[in-house]
Amino acid sequence: MCNLYTNKSTVQEMASLFATPATYGFNVPADVYPQYPGIVVREVHGERVLEQMTWGFPRHSNNKRTGKPNKPTATNNARDDKLWTIWRQWFTDPAQRCLIPFTSFAEAEGEAGKMTRTWISVADQPVAAWAGLWRPTDEWGNAYTGVMVDATKELWDIHDRMPVILHPDAHETWLRADAEEAMTVVTQYPAAKLRVERTDDPWFARKALTPNKNLQI
């Protein structure tokens, strides 16, 4: 599960890479947590645009003690093996797919209570695209989630899942193709093209407003 990623690219860099207009005034954090604003690329009337959305589809539950609704939590990752079931409504509609620009993503390593951040970036893509889905929500406006696959065996010691990192020539397929063809680009990215940086930074060194519970379904 990915619960933290960075996007340190500028609007101009993203606009150039993803062929969108560059006339945006976004104010978003470089470190993106669930329920934080992030940048996605999607198509509107056949043209690509950059758009700010909230990371994570709202998920609702009730308090077991009081029976009252809890605040919604974020389902920020979507399993590839459930794209045809839970996620079918959005996956099968190309207009509901998006690209999530990122420069690295983080996973937690270590024993409970002492976990540290391990960052993974794409050696041959300084700014890469993670395959995503998006939808309008009443709670947070437009929101997005990132598609995950089983990790390559080289990354198993870090985590058993990894984002669907798209090759540049797969961007068009993900944004426009029918579901069967789009599924062909839902694959593992070669481990040889990924950089792993282990740090001593505590995993839970995050701002107080960051949600505590995030899910992958």
Side-chain angles (χ1 to χ4, degrees), residues 1-6 31 102-111 114-122 154-159 161-163 194-205:
M1 184 187 300
C2 180
N3 286 328
L4 169 62
Y5 72 91
T6 64
D31 292 342
F102 76 96
T103 49
S104 60
F105 66 92
E107 296 291 359
E109 282 197 282
E111 59 184 282
K114 297 181 180 180
M115 289 184 173
T116 55
R117 296 179 181 184
T118 293
W119 292 95
I120 301 171
S121 57
V122 185
E154 295 89 345
L155 298 180
W156 284 352
D157 61 326
I158 300 174
H159 203 282
R161 306 286 290 175
M162 65 186 293
L194 299 177
R195 293 194 185 102
V196 176
E197 180 188 0
R198 288 180 166 87
T199 74
D200 295 326
D201 298 334
W203 176 251
F204 290 105

Side-chain angles (χ1 to χ4, degrees), residues 4-5 9 14 34 39 47 59 61 63 80 82 85 88-89 101 112 122 124 154 156 162 170 173 176 194 200 207:
L4 169 62
Y5 72 91
S9 56
M14 287 186 286
I39 301 298
E47 301 292 332
R59 180 178 183 275
S61 63
N63 187 291
D80 64 313
K82 297 185 179 180
T85 54
R88 183 183 183 90
Q89 176 181 352
V122 185
D124 59 337
E154 295 89 345
W156 284 352
M162 65 186 293
T173 300
R176 290 192 165 187
L194 299 177
D200 295 326
K207 295 181 180 179

Side-chain angles (χ1 to χ4, degrees), residues 5 12 16 24 29 32 49 58 74 81 97 100 105 114 119 121 129 143 160 166 172 183 194 204-205 216:
Y5 72 91
Q12 290 73 22
S16 176
Y24 303 96
V32 185
V49 298
D81 56 348
R97 299 188 212 125
I100 307 169
F105 66 92
K114 297 181 180 180
W119 292 95
S121 57
D160 62 353
L166 297 171
E172 190 81 355
M183 198 70 196
L194 299 177
F204 290 105
Q216 170 182 264

